[in-house]
Amino acid sequence: AMRPPPVPAGAGAGVVEMERSVTAVLGQDVVLPCRYRAQEQEQVEQVTWLKRGPGGRSAEVAVLHRQHGQHVQEPYAGRVLRRADGALEDGAIVLRN
């Protein structure tokens, strides 16, 4: 299958929609929303979730991939689920407990 060439940033690319902040209750599940409003011909291949730590360092939490499924890093194994099946335009995850 032919795929369109990558679109330069800002050249009619889609829009990422997310919450500025999400409130979680200790011990309960929380949804971390992230939706990509794709333009025509666009398809999300991969969504990467990172946790920003002290000093601005980022640690990978999970990678959601269109063909290879999801890979969750060890500290989060069993605690990260996709909220929805299907296209990665909805890249929301549920962080359990």
Side-chain angles (χ1 to χ4, degrees):
M2 301 236 343
R3 272 188 293 188
V7 179
V15 178
V16 175
E17 297 174 343
M18 57 187 183
E19 302 293 330
R20 174 66 59 204
S21 69
V22 174
T23 302
V25 177
L26 195 62
Q28 294 188 8
D29 298 353
V30 63
V31 173
L32 302 179
C34 180
R35 176 173 285 282
Y36 183 72
R37 267 209 320 248
Q39 299 292 325
E40 224 177 320
Q41 302 282 302
E42 282 189 317
Q43 187 172 40
V44 175
E45 288 288 319
Q46 179 174 303
V47 175
T48 302
W49 280 91
L50 303 170
K51 179 179 180 180
R52 187 180 297 142
R57 279 199 311 259
S58 290
E60 191 175 279
V61 172
V63 175
L64 315 176
H65 194 279
R66 191 169 69 86
Q67 287 171 304
H68 306 303
Q70 66 184 39
H71 176 76
V72 179
Q73 293 297 340
E74 193 46 56
Y76 301 95
R79 290 185 55 214
V80 173
L81 308 165
R82 273 196 70 191
R83 182 180 61 175
D85 291 330
L88 283 177
E89 276 71 12
D90 184 355
I93 57 172
V94 178
L95 187 57
R96 302 180 63 187
N97 190 14

